[in-house]
Amino acid sequence: MSAKPKLPLGSTIGGSMKIALFALIAFVASHAQAMGQVLSADELQARVVEITDAQNRVMMRGSTAADIDDLFSLYTPDFIYIHEAYGGAYTRDELQANTVRALEAGRYDLTEPRYRVISMIPGHNGIAVEREEVSRGAAKRHLAVFEFRDDKVSRIIEYWR
């Protein structure tokens, strides 16, 4: 068995090793770029407040299709809403179509916001959110998790009944 040769101090990496190292660096850089921007805790919290405000505007008396467009502009194209207790999973398109139908049917007629953010626990491009929902005069607290890709929400999972 022969020992592996050691590179002397100050020696340089050979051509094939340079190519392999460059390929590895390019792969890691492209993977990091594909993962997108990582939001800070403050950015995550601000986005949740913005989304909650937009959701509330849609459900208020006098809301318009423009309010729906504003809300859905905060979601990624492949956004999914998951609420197992109330029907399972909805794609962005399904949720938007349901929202438009509810607006056209006159079901959005609140005079005060439906949701209020109580607390948030930010993580890595995700945030656990405790919100209070006022419905028919009763306030209930709910847990949801908002996941983000770049600066848009990619998934909301509701954990309440």
Side-chain angles (χ1 to χ4, degrees), residues 137-151:
K140 295 181 183 176
R141 293 202 173 172
H142 304 300
L143 171 65
V145 173
F146 289 60
E147 296 176 9
F148 289 82
R149 189 172 334 107
D150 293 325
D151 65 342

Side-chain angles (χ1 to χ4, degrees), residues 31-39 44 47 51 73-80 92 124-127 146-156:
H31 183 67
Q33 185 177 15
M35 290 179 61
Q37 168 188 358
V38 175
L39 300 176
L44 288 166
R47 294 306 272 174
I51 291 162
S73 74
L74 303 174
Y75 299 158
T76 61
D78 61 344
F79 169 82
I80 190 155
R92 177 189 173 160
H124 181 76
N125 274 350
I127 186 166
F146 289 60
E147 296 176 9
F148 289 82
R149 189 172 334 107
D150 293 325
D151 65 342
K152 295 183 183 281
V153 69
S154 60
R155 180 169 34 189
I156 296 174

Side-chain angles (χ1 to χ4, degrees), residues 36-56:
Q37 168 188 358
V38 175
L39 300 176
S40 70
D42 289 342
E43 290 169 322
L44 288 166
Q45 291 170 342
R47 294 306 272 174
V48 167
V49 169
E50 181 180 16
I51 291 162
T52 298
D53 289 346
Q55 289 171 332
N56 282 331

